[in-house]
Amino acid sequence: MSEEKRQKLKISLFVISVVVGIIINNLLFYFALFVLYFIIFSKDEKKGISYLRKPKFLLSITIITVLPIIFAYGNSGELFHTLEMVVKVLLRGIVLLQTIAILVARIDRNKIFAHFKKVHPDFEEVFTETVSTMNKFKNKMITSQQKIEKKRIVQLAIFHPIEFLRKVFYKLWFEYNKD
Amino acid sequence: MPNWKGVLLRATLPNRQGLFFWRIMDRKEKKIFVFFAGLWALVEVSLGTILSLSKVPFRGLLMASFACFILIAFRMFVDKPRSSLYLASVVATIKLFFSLGAGAFNSALAIFIEGLLAEAIFGLAKVNLFSSILVGALVLLYPFLHSLFMQTMIFGVDIFKIYNKILVEFQQIVNLQTKFGIFEMILIFVFIYLIIGVVVGILSFYFSKNVLKKVIVNE
């Protein structure tokens, strides 16, 4: 194979690996959107999240994230060195992500509250109020999304950003003070 | 024999709230606290989770800019010791409970440390333009250092060799003859993050002072 062809092949492999990486990442992105829509803010939040904390899921994320990097590295032709690197990186990734997953799965809400209560006596009350405020803002955003004219809002945000932000904060503050 | 421990405790009791002499907020301040905490938590839980799962580059920059704005704006209204750290603690706990997977642990840690940085600066210097610039620079620089640290933790120092290889390969593809290695690139990014942080700090300070104060104080 001539040097020119080799160079072309190398470039196309690099571009393909980047594109594949982006597509896989985007699939993950839409999956996350889908999950967010159904799980976040729902009453029984633990039911859906428990699967995502499993090491198998975390391992798949590790592989998907490292894959484009590995492809790009593999183009250099140093196959043995690349393989060694991949094994090292993945092993470290698996061990550490599993440790984090176990730590996250064992987080006890009551223990955290008890710890913060020593420093801030009103922590639990503030926490509950903040969660309800967050839900209130979320509901407001969902209901106002159907009413607003998107074109006008985008124009306002681009040409008069300060005025736009002032309006947003005014509406949020008004919504917050309603009850 | 007098109970010295009890005497000492009683002597400090009028000012004592909680373990570390936390001065509790009044009703109006708590109201503002919950407003900012709710807003920050909403953005972290919705947009933050989407961004962290989608692996979009520079996602830390976007989230830290918002965190920086909230920290500066909140301190403008409630300037009490440790209030920024309290705000960050509440948001970090919400992020930990309501977010997905191991990413939540990482982000919650980042939020808490951002609050700690803001608290350290606002605790030393009151809220002014200089301290806001400093908070902006440090809070925006933090996610970059956090990601470097976490990547080194997870993948080892080898990750920098891989990045260097990609960089060299990219330079070959676009026919660029530069001698920038990965460490020069890191320094350039640190500089860029610092500049953006300063700009965000200035904008947040003036926006909170001139616009937000009119909305929240003159309700």
Side-chain angles (χ1 to χ4, degrees):
Chain A
M1 196 187 284
S2 69
E3 185 57 35
E4 198 184 338
K5 272 188 179 174
R6 203 181 141 86
Q7 189 67 18
K8 271 185 187 170
L9 188 69
K10 211 171 146 183
I11 293 168
S12 52
L13 267 175
F14 184 82
V15 172
I16 287 166
S17 63
V18 171
V19 171
V20 167
I22 289 168
I23 289 168
I24 293 171
N25 270 334
N26 278 330
L27 281 177
L28 201 72
F29 173 68
Y30 286 114
F31 172 70
L33 264 180
F34 178 76
V35 170
L36 262 179
Y37 187 75
F38 285 103
I39 296 172
I40 293 283
F41 302 120
S42 70
K43 279 174 192 167
D44 192 8
E45 85 236 17
K46 277 185 183 172
K47 204 177 161 190
I49 297 171
S50 61
Y51 170 74
L52 300 167
R53 282 179 184 162
K54 277 184 181 167
K56 209 188 276 177
F57 177 77
L58 294 164
L59 172 64
S60 62
I61 284 187
T62 317
I63 293 169
I64 288 165
T65 316
V66 184
L67 219 58
I69 302 170
I70 296 163
F71 278 146
Y73 196 86
N75 286 343
S76 60
E78 297 162 348
L79 187 66
F80 183 72
H81 190 57
T82 309
L83 277 176
E84 185 200 332
M85 197 80 88
V86 169
V87 171
K88 253 164 86 179
V89 163
L90 277 184
L91 274 178
R92 265 187 89 105
I94 293 161
V95 171
L96 234 120
L97 283 176
Q98 275 197 355
T99 316
I100 295 173
I102 291 163
L103 279 176
V104 171
R106 285 188 181 173
I107 284 170
D108 187 359
R109 189 180 277 232
N110 296 331
K111 266 187 192 169
I112 290 179
F113 281 157
H115 174 75
F116 274 119
K117 231 175 181 176
K118 285 180 199 162
V119 190
H120 311 295
D122 56 348
F123 186 81
E124 202 166 343
E125 184 199 335
V126 167
F127 182 86
T128 326
E129 275 179 33
T130 307
V131 172
S132 67
T133 310
M134 190 171 80
N135 284 328
K136 201 194 269 181
F137 287 157
K138 186 206 72 173
N139 292 335
K140 172 74 186 165
M141 278 163 81
I142 290 169
T143 50
S144 61
Q145 222 176 23
Q146 294 156 352
K147 290 177 197 167
I148 55 169
E149 289 174 52
K150 276 177 192 161
K151 203 179 165 187
R152 225 181 110 205
I153 292 289
V154 171
Q155 271 182 353
L156 191 69
I158 293 169
F159 297 112
H160 308 282
I162 295 175
E163 182 60 21
F164 170 73
L165 283 173
R166 195 189 68 80
K167 275 188 179 170
V168 168
F169 274 98
Y170 182 78
K171 280 193 177 164
L172 285 172
W173 185 249
F174 180 75
E175 179 68 22
Y176 177 59
N177 281 322
K178 234 171 165 178
D179 306 326
Chain B
M1 181 83 183
N3 181 4
W4 289 112
K5 202 178 165 189
V7 169
L8 269 173
L9 200 70
R10 246 173 284 132
T12 54
L13 208 57
N15 298 322
R16 195 183 162 94
Q17 295 283 349
L19 195 64
F20 299 112
F21 301 94
W22 159 254
R23 270 191 283 157
I24 212 154
M25 289 177 286
D26 60 36
R27 208 164 159 264
K28 171 125 199 194
E29 283 171 336
K30 199 186 261 183
K31 198 173 151 190
I32 294 170
F33 181 97
V34 172
F35 174 74
F36 279 108
L39 202 61
W40 190 5
L42 177 71
V43 172
E44 281 290 346
V45 168
S46 53
L47 187 69
T49 311
I50 295 172
L51 284 178
S52 72
L53 278 173
S54 67
K55 309 280 173 212
V56 171
F58 306 111
R59 53 191 182 276
L61 192 72
L62 192 68
M63 296 316 294
S65 304
F66 189 76
C68 172
F69 164 69
I70 291 281
L71 284 166
I72 292 172
F74 168 68
R75 200 66 184 221
M76 196 83 89
F77 296 105
V78 184
D79 196 9
K80 280 194 169 174
R82 282 194 297 286
S83 53
S84 303
L85 191 57
Y86 190 14
L87 180 78
S89 311
V90 171
V91 177
T93 316
I94 291 175
K95 177 81 181 168
L96 205 59
F97 292 157
F98 286 81
S99 215
L100 303 170
F105 185 74
N106 213 352
S107 313
L109 187 71
I111 292 167
F112 187 78
I113 292 175
E114 280 166 8
L116 203 66
L117 285 172
E119 184 55 55
I121 295 161
F122 284 137
L124 289 170
K126 290 279 168 191
V127 188
N128 51 42
L129 185 61
F130 177 70
S131 60
S132 301
I133 288 173
L134 217 57
V135 166
L138 283 184
V139 166
L140 256 85
L141 185 61
Y142 173 71
F144 181 65
L145 298 180
H146 182 99
S147 60
L148 278 187
F149 177 73
M150 285 310 283
Q151 281 181 15
T152 320
M153 277 268 288
I154 294 175
F155 302 119
V157 189
D158 291 335
I159 195 78
F160 293 108
K161 286 184 199 164
I162 293 174
Y163 280 154
N164 206 20
K165 192 82 194 163
I166 293 171
L167 193 72
V168 170
E169 208 160 304
F170 183 73
Q171 283 174 2
Q172 279 174 1
I173 284 169
V174 293
N175 276 331
L176 253 175
Q177 294 298 321
T178 55
K179 286 186 178 173
F180 280 153
I182 190 70
F183 291 104
E184 286 88 348
M185 285 301 281
I186 287 174
L187 282 179
I188 291 169
F189 272 112
V190 164
F191 187 68
I192 293 169
Y193 271 70
L194 278 176
I195 297 277
I196 296 172
V198 169
V199 173
V200 170
I202 294 171
L203 289 179
S204 305
F205 179 78
Y206 283 115
F207 181 76
S208 320
K209 196 181 171 189
N210 299 330
V211 183
L212 217 53
K213 243 182 183 171
K214 282 179 194 160
V215 175
I216 291 179
V217 177
N218 312 323
E219 45 179 301

